Amino acid sequence: MIETQIQQQILNCCAQNEVKDVMLYFSKQKTTVIQVADEQLESFQMSEKEGIHISGSYHGFQGETYLEQYENKSIEAAVQNLVQTSQGNQKRAKKQIGFTVQKSQKTNNENKNDVLDSKKMIDEFILQQKRLKQENPLVVQVSGTGFRLVQEEIEITSEQGDTKRAENQFCQGSVSVVAAKNERKQNSHVSSFANEIEELDYLCMGKKAARDAIALLEAEPIMSGSYQAVLANELSAELLSSFLSIFYQESVEQGNSRFKNKYGEKVADNCLTIWQEPDWDRAPIKRSFDDEGTAANRCMVIEKGQLKWLPGSGTGQSTISTGNGKRADYRDVIRTGFWNLIVQKGSRDTKELIGDVDQGVFLTQTDGLFAGVNAKTGDFSAICQGFYIEHGKCTRGIKQITVGGNIYDLLSDLQEVSSDTAGSSNEWDYVESPAMKVKSLTIGGL
Amino acid sequence: MITKSVIENIIQTALECGGDFAEVFVEDRNHTTIVQNGKETEEGIVAQDCGVGIRVFSGIQSVYTYSSDDREEHLLQVTRDICQLFPNHKAAQMMTLRSSQLILPPSKLPFDQVTYQQKMDRVQLVQNAGYQYDKAIDKMWVKYLDLHQQVTIANSEGVYVEDTRNKTRMLITAYATINGDTRSGYIGPGAAQDFSFYDSICLEDYAREAARSACAMAGAEFCKAGQMPVVVDNGFGGLMFHEACGHSLEASSVAKGNSEFSGRLGEKVASSLVTLIDDGSISESWGGLRVDDEGMPTQKNMLIEKGILKGYMIDKLNSRVMKMPATGSGRRESYRYAPTSRMTNTYIEGGTSTRDEIIKATEKGLFVSSISAGSVNPVTGDFNFAVAEAYEIQNGKIGKPVKGATLIGKGSQVLQDVDMVGNNMRIDQGYCYAASGALFIGAGQPTVRIKNMTVGGLSV
């Protein structure tokens, strides 16, 4: 929590400098990271970051800044920074909508005060790494068993004294292995989020990482061409996560999305239903209000292929805030973002979807999406790996290939989604998705 | 911020709690960021970051903490907290901190002597030049950033160095729409200089170049997927080698045996035409530093010389693992990150061919004029990057523009497949995102031909 005295100092300094409509966003994040590699502790980190973002209007123009030190001179310097940026940016002061929920509403994930037994965790990780290698002779190295615990407090305070607080905690576990055979090496990395440490299943993660790495040891590229494709649930989640901006009101306003004037229209196959769920249990971050204090609600985005709703942060000329104003932390400005995007699952699992494909590809992993995505056109092209499908079965591993397509075409060309889901690896743009069977994607290879 | 005696106390505490090496990194950073997206100011912020990072080793184990709370009692407590995993004894003796004098270049136009409005005016200059280039340009995205960073780096081996760093950059993306197809062109001049940098370059020329690239790609056909010779032009094309082999030569991968270049010093790993260097000591360069973020002077590191693997980029921790000296390659984004081995300015040395000779010698292939971004898996060497501007090569001539290409490959293979190297080496500016955060890097090369690469595209 911001100390009342510091809060008052900032507000007083703003008032003295004619800064109005002040909003203070305080965030404090404690992080613990443990990394064990090759059966010994590699690194351990415990840290705390804390700061206050100040936004307000000066003579009708919006300005903002942040500070990490709270002495008088730092506060005065910060307010001067706010004044000069408001004059320079010439952004009309944003009408504060905020504080549409009860004060001090806490989320479900209150911070626990249990002391983390780091030494016990490290010993367990070392044991698991030894076991993993013993059970899988082709696994030559368990290059990383990782744990990350994030505990966050947020407090938003308006000039009028309204205050909203949220606390959140999540863990992320990961296992990385390297498999080798006949001078070929293949690695695999598996991670998952959980609310509590006890929910992280390292045994399961390790087995999956080993299985995935071994399965692709002898993978080879295939001929370039168009292929019917099944995208694994994790890959589907990562792909959607890369294209979230196409849903934002601000993108539509700027001409960066094809969803302009598409409310109520069919934009995807009937099998696709997607919604925002701020309080999704499996998501790492759960919030009932956004980073400006506006209520964040469950909202249907696409229902049976029809576009229903688009989120906004009110940062555009004509966009409105739907409780989707997010900051990465106190240093960041408000940007539009989802509070957990969930894709409704189907009735058959991934294996059954693959069973439908006579000749095609099952893609399990991709890399470089951040570089290979064109958010304006919807085109994507990235390196990927997976399996070749023949007569409904995965017959051989494939890698050193690219997958290319267009996200809008993909949504329309969806044939089915699976019943088994997975979440993306980024807590900030969390997407949970089933596997997706798509009519056709372009594979670049031989 | 914190005094030398507080730093000494932190280091002493760390050693008494079982560490055999301790380091303190103190940072005070003032910065300005302005983003104009179209006609709107999307972001405009002036702020200060201050904090301390504390790192302690015991053998090859490391622990780290950071905080913006600079009170001595807090810093000593967090030091004790992170050392709880070490056996509780005094593991090493601290050496007296000896100050190093860094000769700083004279400041011509410090950032704090330039008003925010003056910086906005430069952004507007770029915007105007881009829009005026061609009516097809329907949006300009321009980001200005500057930072003035003061760091103090001290460790138990007696290092105590204070450094002042200036960095500034103008990132320019132009969007052109032709026949309903929108493409972008990108360029980003930057340097380790103060605001006087912008008096030494013509920002309008850069804006026009971004606009030209966008117009060239808009309306182009999709690139065909397949395998073919690829000619990558000079400058930021060097990002290919940054991804293809640079990361795999960082000790953070090599030390664990997780790189395809681990244990291969002295072996031929590349074509004899390839000499790859990482040099953090290039004066006033975007990717350079006088001292690295572990307090060691940066240097020119020969990585591959005429195809022979000569060295790696090694940080302090991994120098213990590998039992090899550190190379001034320890870098971090800020006090919030522990440093590790990272690239600075990485480039392929110039050869003897001209660009024209290289193109003429290529019957059919792809000419890559500029690259946007990419990534690599150091274990397997699999890399990928997105191409920003490319053209078909037909009969030894540059042909029609093609869009949406991705280049993939294996680092060790692409190094072997370099068969022509130009004489026009240039280093351009970029960013690199990895374990110790986002860093400013230089990536460079002359025009280079790779005799066979897999090109991903949206057409077959």
Side-chain angles (χ1 to χ4, degrees):
Chain A
M1 284 178 356
I2 318 175
E3 280 179 32
T4 311
Q5 189 190 353
I6 293 170
Q7 212 179 89
Q8 208 47 58
Q9 271 177 282
I10 297 172
L11 291 173
N12 288 345
C13 191
C14 287
Q16 282 160 17
N17 285 276
E18 299 174 49
V19 176
K20 297 184 173 141
D21 300 319
V22 177
M23 189 179 284
L24 305 181
Y25 174 94
F26 165 83
S27 86
K28 181 173 179 173
Q29 193 181 82
K30 291 185 192 176
T31 309
T32 304
V33 179
I34 298 171
Q35 185 76 8
V36 169
D38 298 318
E39 298 163 33
Q40 56 184 329
L41 173 67
E42 183 183 62
S43 64
F44 172 76
Q45 178 172 323
M46 269 172 53
S47 53
E48 199 171 283
K49 67 177 179 183
E50 175 188 318
I52 301 173
H53 190 104
I54 311 171
S55 57
S57 69
Y58 177 79
H59 293 188
F61 293 108
Q62 189 75 9
E64 53 193 324
T65 186
Y66 65 82
L67 66 164
E68 297 180 326
Q69 306 268 312
Y70 305 143
E71 310 95 40
N72 271 337
K73 64 172 183 161
S74 298
I75 292 172
E76 278 160 19
V79 173
Q80 285 307 314
N81 287 340
L82 189 158
V83 167
Q84 68 167 309
T85 56
S86 67
Q87 290 173 310
N89 295 343
Q90 294 281 297
K91 257 171 94 164
R92 279 285 151 203
K94 192 173 149 189
K95 205 172 170 187
Q96 267 194 33
I97 297 171
F99 293 85
T100 56
V101 296
Q102 291 173 299
K103 291 181 190 179
S104 304
Q105 183 166 356
K106 286 193 175 180
T107 61
N108 294 342
N109 246 8
E110 293 174 25
N111 290 345
K112 298 286 162 65
N113 289 322
D114 299 336
V115 172
L116 185 66
D117 192 340
S118 305
K119 287 186 183 166
K120 186 176 168 205
M121 282 194 81
I122 291 163
D123 289 341
E124 281 174 7
F125 288 167
I126 291 171
L127 206 61
Q128 277 167 16
Q129 289 192 348
K130 284 189 166 106
R131 203 175 291 146
L132 197 55
K133 281 176 71 178
Q134 281 163 6
E135 291 170 2
N136 297 276
L138 290 177
V139 170
V140 298
Q141 188 183 27
V142 185
S143 49
T145 304
F147 171 77
R148 183 166 70 109
L149 172 66
V150 177
Q151 296 167 305
E152 189 178 46
E153 283 173 50
I154 289 162
E155 185 179 283
I156 307 171
T157 307
S158 76
E159 199 174 59
Q160 291 73 33
D162 292 326
T163 302
K164 205 163 261 93
R165 293 192 191 97
E167 289 176 8
N168 199 81
Q169 171 179 300
F170 69 87
C171 321
Q172 187 177 27
S174 63
V175 179
S176 304
V177 306
V178 179
K181 185 180 175 186
N182 299 334
E183 298 196 6
R184 280 190 171 216
K185 270 187 180 177
Q186 181 65 38
N187 58 339
S188 176
H189 175 84
V190 173
S191 73
S192 83
F193 289 111
N195 297 318
E196 304 289 340
I197 301 163
E198 295 74 28
E199 293 168 17
L200 290 172
D201 189 341
Y202 280 95
L203 198 62
C204 180
M205 282 192 275
K207 283 184 177 172
K208 183 173 192 309
R211 202 169 51 235
D212 290 351
I214 292 167
L216 288 174
L217 266 172
E218 286 166 346
E220 293 282 348
I222 54 173
M223 294 301 291
S224 302
S226 291
Y227 292 83
Q228 188 177 18
V230 175
L231 307 181
N233 45 20
E234 290 131 323
L235 194 156
S236 302
E238 297 294 346
L239 184 62
L240 278 173
S241 186
S242 304
F243 274 110
L244 292 180
S245 67
I246 66 173
F247 294 101
Y248 303 157
Q249 288 180 31
E250 285 75 19
S251 299
V252 170
E253 181 184 80
Q254 288 162 16
N256 292 340
S257 168
R258 286 197 208 166
F259 289 148
K260 188 169 184 170
N261 300 325
K262 294 281 190 183
Y263 285 109
E265 288 191 25
K266 200 162 182 303
V267 297
D269 187 80
N270 291 346
C271 69
L272 190 68
T273 293
I274 311 179
W275 73 96
Q276 168 178 270
E277 186 73 71
D279 198 26
W280 188 248
D281 186 60
R282 285 195 293 273
I285 296 176
K286 306 169 194 23
R287 295 282 292 278
S288 59
F289 54 86
D290 74 359
D291 287 330
E292 293 183 300
T294 308
N297 299 308
R298 183 183 197 273
C299 294
M300 192 62 70
V301 180
I302 292 177
E303 188 170 27
K304 293 183 182 167
Q306 247 189 14
L307 185 65
K308 294 287 192 186
W309 172 82
L310 297 175
S313 58
T315 49
Q317 290 272 16
S318 58
T319 63
I320 58 159
S321 174
T322 55
N324 288 87
K326 295 174 76 169
R327 297 182 203 282
D329 61 24
Y330 59 84
R331 292 175 293 153
D332 200 11
V333 298
I334 286 287
R335 303 176 201 281
T336 306
F338 279 108
W339 297 107
N340 311 322
L341 196 66
I342 312 301
V343 182
Q344 185 165 292
K345 48 190 175 185
S347 55
R348 302 194 301 154
D349 66 22
T350 303
K351 201 172 169 187
E352 289 173 282
L353 263 60
I354 292 169
D356 290 345
V357 176
D358 188 52
Q359 200 167 51
V361 292
F362 172 48
L363 301 178
T364 56
Q365 199 179 308
T366 184
D367 202 0
L369 269 176
F370 69 95
V373 148
N374 183 328
K376 194 167 170 70
T377 62
D379 296 332
F380 62 88
S381 178
I383 194 170
C384 67
Q385 53 194 31
F387 300 89
Y388 190 65
I389 304 173
E390 286 174 294
H391 310 306
K393 286 191 165 32
C394 290
T395 54
R396 60 184 199 272
I398 53 177
K399 61 182 281 186
Q400 278 288 316
I401 54 173
T402 62
V403 60
N406 182 284
I407 190 68
Y408 298 101
D409 295 341
L410 188 148
L411 295 180
S412 296
D413 289 347
L414 268 184
Q415 295 176 313
E416 191 175 347
V417 298
S418 74
S419 55
D420 43 322
T421 61
S424 55
S425 56
N426 172 2
E427 69 260 24
W428 198 243
D429 286 318
Y430 184 75
V431 175
E432 202 165 288
S433 175
M436 295 183 174
K437 190 171 71 176
V438 185
K439 208 179 292 178
S440 161
L441 287 173
T442 305
I443 299 294
L446 299 171
Chain B
M1 268 206 85
I2 67 174
T3 63
K4 194 171 178 179
S5 106
V6 170
I7 291 174
E8 283 171 340
N9 289 343
I10 294 168
I11 293 173
Q12 194 62 49
T13 301
L15 299 182
E16 284 168 2
C17 290
D20 57 38
F21 170 86
E23 170 197 85
V24 176
F25 180 89
V26 183
E27 178 182 11
D28 184 354
R29 172 197 292 232
N30 285 281
H31 58 94
T32 297
T33 303
I34 300 169
V35 176
Q36 269 213 334
N37 188 359
K39 311 277 191 204
E40 289 290 308
T41 303
E42 186 176 86
E43 188 177 338
I45 202 156
V46 178
Q48 183 185 22
D49 291 28
C50 294
V52 182
I54 299 165
R55 187 170 65 149
V56 187
F57 297 168
S58 173
I60 57 170
Q61 297 177 349
S62 80
V63 295
Y64 192 75
T65 187
Y66 65 81
S67 179
S68 55
D69 182 345
D70 61 358
R71 290 170 299 141
E72 183 176 4
E73 62 271 26
H74 170 74
L75 294 172
L76 295 178
Q77 184 55 52
V78 296
T79 303
R80 284 189 281 269
D81 287 345
I82 58 170
C83 292
Q84 60 178 298
L85 294 171
F86 298 151
N88 195 11
H89 64 270
K90 188 167 178 179
Q93 197 71 27
M94 178 179 162
M95 295 177 69
T96 307
L97 297 181
R98 52 183 191 279
S99 295
S100 302
Q101 286 287 338
L102 282 177
I103 298 164
L104 305 176
S107 194
K108 294 174 198 164
L109 190 51
F111 299 122
D112 61 2
Q113 288 181 19
V114 181
T115 66
Y116 187 79
Q117 188 58 54
Q118 284 173 308
K119 296 172 186 176
M120 286 286 286
D121 289 344
R122 297 292 178 128
V123 171
Q124 199 55 53
L125 192 74
V126 170
Q127 287 261 342
N128 292 344
Y131 281 117
Q132 283 163 18
Y133 177 82
D134 192 294
K135 62 179 191 287
I137 300 296
D138 53 18
K139 193 168 92 166
M140 294 290 293
W141 181 96
V142 182
K143 179 174 180 176
Y144 165 88
L145 67 93
D146 69 46
L147 70 90
H148 176 79
Q149 182 194 37
Q150 288 174 288
V151 299
T152 302
I153 309 163
N155 68 36
S156 52
E157 291 170 352
V159 167
Y160 186 89
V161 63
E162 292 168 317
D163 191 17
T164 300
R165 301 159 174 179
N166 288 320
K167 299 271 186 184
T168 188
R169 195 172 182 208
M170 190 77 78
L171 295 96
I172 307 166
T173 303
Y175 293 88
T177 301
I178 295 175
N179 297 331
D181 180 45
T182 304
R183 296 289 142 177
S184 62
Y186 167 82
I187 198 163
Q193 294 181 36
D194 60 23
F195 199 76
S196 62
F197 170 65
Y198 297 107
D199 295 332
S200 68
I201 62 169
C202 179
L203 278 172
E204 290 105 317
D205 282 348
Y206 282 98
R208 286 188 276 266
E209 173 56 23
R212 180 209 62 74
S213 179
C215 291
M217 288 294 102
E221 288 175 13
F222 280 113
C223 183
K224 279 197 166 54
Q227 294 200 326
M228 63 191 79
V230 175
V231 176
V232 184
D233 209 8
N234 65 343
F236 202 56
L239 186 70
M240 185 173 70
F241 294 97
H242 172 104
E243 296 299 345
C245 52
H247 282 295
S248 304
L249 292 171
E250 291 168 339
S252 42
S253 300
V254 174
K256 288 189 201 179
N258 276 352
S259 161
E260 54 171 349
F261 298 111
S262 294
R264 297 185 68 189
L265 281 177
E267 287 183 28
K268 193 162 192 300
V269 298
S271 151
S272 306
L273 297 173
V274 173
T275 291
L276 179 71
I277 291 163
D278 184 83
D279 189 354
S281 65
I282 300 175
S283 177
E284 296 188 331
S285 64
W286 174 249
L289 297 161
R290 274 184 293 273
V291 290
D292 75 357
D293 293 321
E294 295 179 321
M296 183 173 169
T298 53
Q299 60 191 42
K300 183 174 177 177
N301 291 313
M302 180 67 70
L303 302 174
I304 297 173
E305 188 171 27
K306 293 182 181 159
I308 308 292
L309 183 61
K310 290 292 196 181
Y312 304 113
M313 289 160 281
I314 305 174
D315 61 287
K316 214 157 183 56
L317 179 64
N318 285 304
S319 73
R320 291 184 167 206
V321 178
M322 296 166 70
K323 298 184 174 48
M324 293 173 68
T327 56
S329 303
R331 297 192 68 188
R332 65 179 102 195
E333 176 185 326
S334 71
Y335 71 88
R336 300 180 194 93
Y337 294 87
T340 191
S341 49
R342 301 283 297 274
M343 288 174 270
T344 56
N345 297 298
T346 317
Y347 61 92
I348 300 279
E349 243 184 16
T352 55
S353 306
T354 66
R355 180 197 280 125
D356 288 345
E357 282 168 355
I358 294 172
I359 294 166
K360 203 170 171 184
T362 309
E363 175 69 24
K364 190 174 173 175
L366 188 72
F367 178 73
V368 173
S369 178
S370 113
I371 285 171
S372 54
S375 64
V376 68
N377 178 338
V379 173
T380 60
D382 293 338
F383 71 87
N384 70 94
F385 54 91
V387 172
E389 185 181 347
Y391 300 83
E392 285 184 350
I393 299 175
Q394 297 278 7
N395 304 317
K397 291 194 174 90
I398 291 180
K400 62 184 182 197
V402 286
K403 66 189 181 194
T406 303
L407 298 182
I408 68 171
K410 201 172 155 71
S412 53
Q413 189 59 51
V414 84
L415 286 172
Q416 306 273 5
D417 288 346
V418 171
D419 66 354
M420 291 187 85
V421 175
N423 58 7
N424 54 346
M425 205 286 287
R426 190 181 82 222
I427 298 176
D428 281 343
Q429 297 77 46
Y431 290 100
C432 174
Y433 301 86
S436 60
L439 295 180
F440 311 138
I441 54 103
Q445 61 167 55
T447 304
V448 165
R449 187 173 82 172
I450 297 103
K451 64 185 179 194
N452 191 47
M453 278 192 88
T454 301
V455 178
L458 290 166
S459 166
V460 284

